Amino acid sequence: MTYIVKPQLHHPMLATNGLGYTRRDYEGSVSTLCAGCGHDSISASIIQACYELELPPHRIAKLSGIGCSSKTPDYFLGASHGFNTVHGRMPSVLTGANLANRELIYLGVSGDGDSASIGLGQFAHAIRRGVNMTYIVENNGVYGLTKGQFSATSDKGSKTKKGAVNHDSAIDLVSLALQLGATFVARSFSGDKAQLTPLIKAALAHKGAAFIDCISPCIQFNNHAGSTKGFDYVREHNEAVNMLDVVVPREPIHADYAPGSNTKVAQHDGSILHLHKLAEHYDPSDRVGAMSYLQSRQALGEIVTGLLFIDPEAHDLHDSLETVDGPLNALDDAQLIPGQNALDRLNASLR
């Protein structure tokens, strides 16, 4: 069975957010993924993040491609807009939707096969154009739907469940996102909800291209000795650069922080991202420094997680194109057809 609807009834005393929604209102259908799949943990973090941010479900548009990861939007935000695209083409469909209606909150969910192989070009152009979106890759380093072959993010030297060794270099989507100009770049682990949930909250509040690479072990084909994307390996090699929390403006908040131990990053909507530094001399506002840090830690066999880079002054695709403030799909004929004089002026300016 591929589609199981959850019962609509729930306890009348469930806690609600400021909109009057319970956490259940942000859930979707019952997951049909393998029991223990890391993707379900990511779905739970998305649900929790949207609930805590008090986002109206009808204002969220979730899009995906093909693969285990791309099934997951059916398991969260059941009352939101949704579109399941063809393999690797989610970024271009999301870009078109964002251009048509900038008032929605866009959440793209993809996988390492969907984004790092057939969709690599789509991923690259959506990031470099600064599409206002949260782009999450559920990265398990394996093709789970087709019985465990290596994916493009499988680390060189890692082994399959049957013992085959990967001889190809891995594509590091985090490093690539930094090079392409993403203004919010993070990596997390599906088994670390305390880190992942605030990262998703911060990404949803960020204006511009926000990318999260989330290592999500495949318990069937990539959670064994020799795998570099299994639960035990990631826990043993995790290097978290910060602890995070997102504080949405409500009443005044007072806190006493030791000098030099924290940095505050203002988001475009007024929310504040608090970073408690764990890694010595790590600066999340330094793009070049983030790339260098990633390379140095990767050479030591460590997996760097946390908020790796953020530009609080980021712009998005609509800023670059200088589009109107309202959604393009709401423009009437008078606005869309300005007349011959306007066309003549435009043609003259191009000569």
Side-chain angles (χ1 to χ4, degrees), residues 163-205:
V165 178
N166 181 32
H167 301 291
D168 298 329
S169 296
I171 292 176
D172 182 9
L173 290 172
V174 163
S175 297
L176 188 57
L178 286 166
Q179 292 174 337
L180 291 167
T183 51
F184 181 108
V185 180
R187 175 183 281 139
S188 192
F189 172 44
S190 64
D192 188 355
K193 187 176 182 180
Q195 181 193 65
L196 178 57
T197 300
L199 279 176
I200 295 175
K201 290 172 64 178
L204 289 168

Side-chain angles (χ1 to χ4, degrees), residues 29-330:
S29 302
V30 176
S31 173
T32 59
L33 296 174
C34 303
C37 178
H39 293 1
D40 285 332
S41 297
I42 299 174
S43 294
S45 287
I46 293 173
I47 291 168
Q48 189 66 30
C50 293
Y51 169 75
E52 292 180 4
L53 287 175
E54 300 179 355
L55 299 179
H58 67 274
R59 288 198 58 238
I60 302 173
K62 52 183 183 177
L63 296 93
S64 63
I66 297 295
C68 290
S69 59
S70 294
K71 293 174 60 179
T72 62
D74 194 33
Y75 311 141
F76 59 81
L77 297 173
S80 299
H81 305 281
F83 196 95
N84 185 235
T85 73
V86 295
H87 205 185
R89 301 312 190 256
M90 179 272 290
S92 60
V93 176
L94 188 152
T95 300
N98 181 277
L99 285 171
N101 188 357
R102 64 187 301 173
E103 293 186 346
L104 295 179
I105 300 166
Y106 288 92
L107 173 61
V109 178
S110 185
D112 41 308
D114 198 48
S115 283
S117 290
I118 190 171
L120 186 59
Q122 300 268 321
F123 166 79
H125 291 298
I127 293 294
R128 77 180 185 89
R129 288 172 179 149
V131 179
N132 190 13
M133 62 180 175
T134 297
Y135 193 126
I136 300 176
V137 168
E138 299 180 346
N139 186 355
N140 55 23
V142 71
Y143 290 124
L145 285 182
T146 53
K147 309 308 180 187
Q149 303 93 328
F150 292 120
S151 80
T153 65
S154 299
D155 293 309
K156 190 173 184 178
S158 61
K159 296 181 180 179
T160 65
K161 193 173 182 178
K162 294 184 178 180
V165 178
N166 181 32
H167 301 291
D168 298 329
S169 296
I171 292 176
D172 182 9
L173 290 172
V174 163
S175 297
L176 188 57
L178 286 166
Q179 292 174 337
L180 291 167
T183 51
F184 181 108
V185 180
R187 175 183 281 139
S188 192
F189 172 44
S190 64
D192 188 355
K193 187 176 182 180
Q195 181 193 65
L196 178 57
T197 300
L199 279 176
I200 295 175
K201 290 172 64 178
L204 289 168
H206 180 76
K207 180 182 181 181
F211 174 67
I212 302 176
D213 177 34
C214 190
I215 299 175
S216 179
C218 175
I219 61 167
Q220 291 293 338
F221 299 109
N222 213 11
N223 191 38
H224 51 271
S227 166
T228 59
K229 287 184 170 58
F231 282 106
D232 291 339
Y233 185 91
V234 176
R235 288 193 179 103
E236 292 170 2
H237 296 81
N238 186 6
E239 169 69 12
V241 295
N242 35 53
M243 287 174 53
L244 304 104
D245 193 13
V246 175
V247 180
V248 179
R250 291 294 184 269
E251 297 298 322
I253 298 174
H254 302 283
D256 184 19
Y257 294 94
S261 64
N262 293 272
T263 182
K264 299 179 181 179
V265 181
Q267 299 291 284
H268 76 284
D269 64 348
S271 62
I272 303 297
L273 179 68
H274 290 259
L275 302 179
H276 178 75
K277 290 194 175 181
L278 297 183
E280 187 178 5
H281 305 309
Y282 188 81
D283 180 6
S285 65
D286 182 358
R287 186 185 297 272
V288 176
M291 295 169 66
S292 177
Y293 189 85
L294 281 169
Q295 293 293 325
S296 64
R297 293 297 175 173
Q298 186 177 22
L300 298 175
E302 295 177 347
I303 301 170
V304 181
T305 63
L307 179 61
L308 307 178
F309 175 77
I310 185 171
D311 178 3
E313 303 297 328
H315 299 286
D316 71 345
L317 182 59
H318 284 276
D319 294 328
S320 301
L321 296 178
E322 298 181 349
T323 62
V324 296
D325 293 335
L328 298 183
N329 64 358

